[in-house]
Amino acid sequence: MPHVYIQDIAEHVEKEVTLKGWLYNKTDKGKLRFLLIRDGTGVIQTVVFQKNVSPEVFQATDTLAQESSLVVTGTIRKDERALGGFEMDVRNLEVIQVADSYPISPKEHGTSFLMDNRHLWLRSARQHSILRIRSEIIKACRDFLDDRGFTLVDTPIITPAACEGTTTLFGLDYFEEKAYLTQSGQLYNEAACMSVGKTYCFGPTFRAEKSKTRRHLMEFWMIEPEVAFADLDDIMDLAQEHLCSIVQRVLTERTEELKVLERDTTLLETIQSPFPRISYHEAFDILEKEGTQTPRGSDFGGTDETIISSQFDRPVIVHRFPTAIKAFYMQPDGENPELALCMDILAPEGYGEIIGGSQRIHDYDLLSERIEEHHLPREAFQWYLDLRKYGSVPHSGFGMGVERVVAWICGIDHVRETIAFPRMLYRMYP
RNA sequence: UCCUCAGUAGCUCAAUUGGCAGAGCAUCCGGCUGUUAACCGGAGGGUUGUAGGUUCGAGUCCUACCUGGGGAGCCA
């Protein structure tokens, strides 16, 4: 019999086929047994009638526990009573392995228990849907950039110095030399874009901050495009189109998964260009009206981000933050050097910052000055300064946190569910 | 790191003023030809996070520690 996947089952009505998968749930009605089987592409109800199968096959269904692996052969037919509208009449069944008593039952569980069993939790419908949407989002990112002539250039994971200075890094011993896990590929992207014009990197990044919130992971993935000759306006446009294309892709390609997650897709359908663009000071006008505790001049807190984003039905771009609170490499605004040519994009529904970007300093002397001011080790940044000596051009880029985008699009409240095996403060098992 | 809440069966949770350790699910046994987290009957399953203290008596009160959840700061 041909092995088919459940997602294609509609093409096999009234035909006999073979399915390979795992037992998702079982209902026993005496001489009639319902086996819910999943195979990674979907779930289907199969029925085993005692009179239709051999005594051995019927007896085998006795022993089947949740998550047992099996191969079933039978005829597919339409049946309104079955979940999904199709059902298999089982003729033969081969048990590959009878599962031990499965810890994750269809009933409720606590977060701690589920995280301890993350390797098994991945099989549940919600987690399965999130994994599939994450994969689609990453594919959408790569397609978007590849289609626009970007070249993927992988940046190093092990780095000799901090990219942005003071944030806490994971250190490691590199043959008796001090090294760190990267916190961004950006500086290397700047070198790459002077070769290929438009580049991006996609990889894991690491922050050793002892952060413990729904928006934080110690290890997370970032997409970082960098474009030579681009200014702040250019990358705001790019980031906006990028986000729109991701949302569109998930809406069209992952409809079923969004349904499993019970995501309100009307909130995603409004994600269209143009996004509102407000300056840092305009954002603070809103915050002060809403009575924020945060003083103007400092960075937003988590609740501030929620207040700002809740004013809009689509992502909001906040640009031109004070230079004093931003990274050393950001280009000051020609009209007011107190402000940096940078932007953050805040996702709606309180999901907070999903993108941060800026125009980079391309003047050698200014960059050199900034490195001094920030007390950064000059030797480590010599190669980075070199980029400003050999055909320096204005250039800009941004970084997008994949997990936060997945959380937003899926409508889930904690980034720990957006990656298969999250690394969190006090938790790195399994 | 700080604030806050919690830890009782494999899981989710009860246990009155300090007075016999309980239920549902899961597991095992039995029943049922249309179940959707099926249902009905039965069985097994406990160092109440750890260590100390108060008390005739502690799951319950006190102290310390451990583990985890939620939040803050910081960040994408």
Side-chain angles (χ1 to χ4, degrees), chain A residues 48-224:
Chain A
V48 185
F49 287 98
Q50 188 172 31
K51 65 178 171 60
N52 291 356
V53 297
S54 70
E56 293 75 31
V57 164
F58 194 73
Q59 201 173 5
T61 63
D62 268 341
T63 65
L64 288 175
Q66 190 187 348
E67 287 304 316
S68 296
S69 44
L70 47 97
V71 178
V72 289
T73 299
T75 310
I76 304 300
R77 61 154 195 272
K78 283 187 111 141
D79 195 317
E80 289 306 316
R81 292 170 296 186
L83 199 80
F86 296 97
E87 190 172 77
M88 174 189 271
D89 223 332
V90 174
R91 185 179 57 79
N92 197 15
L93 179 150
E94 180 197 343
V95 178
I96 298 173
Q97 195 230 355
V98 175
D100 274 7
S101 172
Y102 195 64
I104 300 178
S105 72
K107 293 269 182 177
E108 290 163 22
H109 297 285
T111 303
S112 176
F113 174 78
L114 289 169
M115 288 309 302
D116 285 340
N117 290 283
R118 183 63 177 165
H119 52 301
L120 303 177
W121 189 21
L122 294 178
R123 303 179 188 192
S124 69
R126 274 181 61 82
Q127 300 307 314
H128 173 266
S129 293
I130 295 167
L131 290 178
R132 301 255 287 181
I133 290 173
R134 177 191 172 101
S135 174
E136 193 66 49
I137 287 171
I138 289 167
K139 190 157 174 283
C141 287
R142 300 215 33 188
D143 286 349
F144 176 88
L145 294 169
D146 291 347
D147 289 349
R148 277 161 186 73
F150 280 73
T151 301
L152 173 72
V153 178
D154 300 310
T155 53
I157 307 289
I158 298 171
T159 59
C163 287
E164 305 197 7
T166 51
T167 36
T168 324
L169 303 181
F170 286 104
L172 62 120
D173 176 57
Y174 192 80
F175 305 113
E176 284 149 37
E177 198 179 327
K178 191 72 185 159
Y180 304 90
L181 294 179
T182 184
Q183 61 172 178
S184 165
Q186 183 207 311
L187 303 194
Y188 296 97
N189 272 343
E190 291 184 50
C193 85
M194 299 306 163
S195 166
V196 298
K198 292 187 273 189
T199 186
Y200 69 100
C201 65
F202 173 53
T205 50
F206 307 87
R207 307 266 165 107
E209 302 284 352
K210 293 203 166 178
S211 298
K212 185 172 147 31
T213 80
R214 67 183 65 186
R215 295 174 180 176
H216 283 88
L217 295 173
M218 302 300 110
E219 178 184 303
F220 64 97
W221 288 68
M222 268 207 297
I223 293 262
E224 296 177 273

Side-chain angles (χ1 to χ4, degrees), chain A residues 233-251:
Chain A
D233 286 334
D234 294 328
I235 57 135
M236 287 199 286
D237 291 343
L238 182 72
Q240 171 180 302
E241 296 312 312
H242 191 208
L243 284 174
C244 288
S245 86
I246 293 167
V247 171
Q248 271 313 308
R249 176 77 81 86
V250 175
L251 280 172

